[in-house]
Each structure stands twice: as C-alpha cells, then as structure tokens.
Amino acid sequence: MKKLKVLIAKDGKVTVEAEGYTGPSCAEATRKVAEALGKLDWGRAKPEYFETEITSQVTQSQG
Amino acid sequence: MSHIQTCDVELRDLEAVKTACERLGWSLVKGQKTFKWFGVWVGDTEAPRHLFHDEKAYRNFQAMSPESQRASMTSRMSWCDHAIKVPGADYEIGLQWDGACYRPVWDYYETGGLAEHMGTDGGKLAQAYAVEYAKRWAWSQGYSIEEQSLADGTVEISMTGGGL
C-alpha cells in the first residue's frame, strides 16, 4: 500500500518519506507534501527509486 | 520506502498558526501590531538569523557598530502583524509577514518567561504548525491520516488514500 509518512521533529524539521512506491513517482509525492509545508531542503533517493515503475497502459478504442 | 525529502517549515497559513497555538495552549491575537518584549535590544545575545532575508543582510548587520546593531534590532522588534500570548509568560511572540511567510520574533530573556516555552530556536511553534498544517493539507487532498507521537518527541503523520 502506498503511504506518505511525515516526520516532524521537535525542532520543526520535516522529513517526508514515501512507502510502497517504485520509480520517480515517489520523488514527486514527497516533494508535493514538503513544498506545501515549507522551503525544500534536499531530497534523496532510496534504492527502490532506481527500480522500474510498472505502469498500466490504457488503450482507447474508437467505436 | 523509496524517497526522502526534507524541508524547513515556513509559517504561511495563519489559520494553521491559530490551530498550532491552540494545540500548545497558546492564543493567537490577530491584528495586534506590537508584542511585549524587553523593548530595547541590548546586544547580549546573537541576533536571530531568521529575521534577515539572506546571508548578505545578516553579514551587513554583523559588520555594524554595536550602537547601530542595537538601533537596527530594536526597530526590527518594534512591530508585528499578529501576536501570540503564552500563558505564564510575560513577554509575547510577534509574527511578522515578510511577503511569503510569517517570521516569529520573540525575546527569550529569562524574565519574560518565553525561554522555557519557545526556546531559542522556536522549534515548539514550528513543530506544532507543521503538524497542524500537514493534517489540514492531507484532509484537503482527500487523504486519511494517522497521528502518532514518537519517544524522541517527533510527531509522525501517516497519509494514505487520496491521490496516492
């Protein structure tokens, strides 16, 4: 299950972690939350980032 | 897990500031234009860096004579857009809008009583704001949330559902 975990330390420092994602979509998800909260510091990829994201292809047929 | 992003919280949403104050047992006074502090900057502590827009402005301040620093800081502390009252503290916290976010300003001289509540880095307010704003944001995006306090004082907000 996809989950975003926001950890807010006693000094107000925010860390956003994405769970259950593969590929670059996780960076987008964490960036969106962090951007809403404040000034982005830096982001780093976990190993799963480099895994290929499996996306489903939708084919639309004309009738 | 696959990605980590960190950020420094910015107090942009006044309603979330209000909720954060309530969470801490404090009260936001909207529209109060000055806040209670010692009244004159005596220069016995370092000037808060977050009051300066950038490193250059801070360095310029540091290069000033002690008299000019006193006048500059006294002027910087002479106004606010809103104020926060903390029960048990004589001094107040000012919120100054800088065009993008509210900068909290306070005097942590011990007789004012804010040191134990606000500390020197303002972390308590920043944390409460981030928790309340994260929840408001999550709800607005349709996420389900769970809040949990960890042993080291960190607050964890888990978001599921919504547009994930």
Side-chain angles (χ1 to χ4, degrees):
Chain A
M1 183 178 65
K2 287 181 178 177
K3 182 195 272 191
L4 289 172
K5 205 158 77 173
V6 183
L7 296 158
I8 304 153
K10 274 166 42 176
D11 63 359
K13 190 81 182 171
V14 176
T15 304
V16 185
E17 294 184 359
E19 292 182 8
Y21 288 78
T22 54
S25 63
C26 58
E28 174 63 17
T30 54
R31 187 192 56 76
K32 210 166 83 173
V33 183
E35 243 175 20
L37 279 162
K39 195 161 61 180
L40 295 189
D41 198 354
W42 48 271
R44 67 173 188 270
K46 296 178 177 182
E48 294 91 328
Y49 176 85
F50 301 102
E51 292 174 9
T52 307
E53 186 173 33
I54 301 164
T55 54
S56 58
Q57 200 173 7
V58 179
T59 308
Q60 199 170 21
S61 59
Q62 283 184 311
Chain B
M1 286 184 220
S2 51
H3 201 267
I4 294 175
Q5 175 75 55
T6 57
C7 74
D8 289 318
V9 173
E10 289 184 329
L11 277 56
R12 300 173 188 151
D13 183 325
L14 196 60
E15 284 310 303
V17 174
K18 183 172 180 284
T19 319
C21 286
E22 287 164 2
R23 180 185 180 92
L24 295 166
W26 303 353
S27 54
L28 173 70
V29 185
K30 290 181 184 175
Q32 184 176 319
K33 299 298 180 193
T34 58
F35 61 100
K36 200 170 175 189
W37 67 293
F38 187 69
V40 178
W41 182 260
V42 290
D44 58 346
T45 55
E46 202 174 328
R49 291 175 88 96
H50 74 276
L51 291 184
F52 299 85
H53 284 283
D54 53 33
E55 193 60 31
K56 189 182 169 194
Y58 185 64
R59 281 203 302 271
N60 287 344
F61 171 80
Q62 285 180 313
M64 289 177 179
S65 68
E67 292 75 21
S68 298
Q69 284 188 354
R70 270 196 285 276
S72 172
M73 279 305 295
T74 300
S75 170
R76 281 173 186 273
M77 304 271 288
S78 68
W79 66 278
C80 61
D81 294 290
H82 311 286
I84 295 172
K85 291 184 187 295
V86 177
D90 188 30
Y91 288 178
E92 298 167 336
I93 301 162
L95 293 176
Q96 298 179 342
W97 179 253
D98 73 355
C101 63
Y102 289 103
R103 293 171 190 259
V105 189
W106 71 101
D107 183 346
Y108 52 82
Y109 185 58
E110 58 187 35
T111 56
L114 283 178
E116 62 176 290
H117 299 284
M118 189 67 169
T120 55
D121 64 355
K124 210 168 179 176
L125 178 61
Q127 185 189 41
Y129 172 85
V131 169
E132 294 305 321
Y133 188 81
K135 291 193 312 193
R136 290 165 69 91
W137 184 86
W139 285 324
S140 75
Q141 302 292 311
Y143 295 122
S144 298
I145 61 159
E146 267 181 47
E147 181 183 337
Q148 190 184 353
S149 295
L150 308 183
D152 67 352
T154 297
V155 177
E156 180 183 317
I157 308 282
S158 296
M159 303 179 188
T160 52
L164 289 175

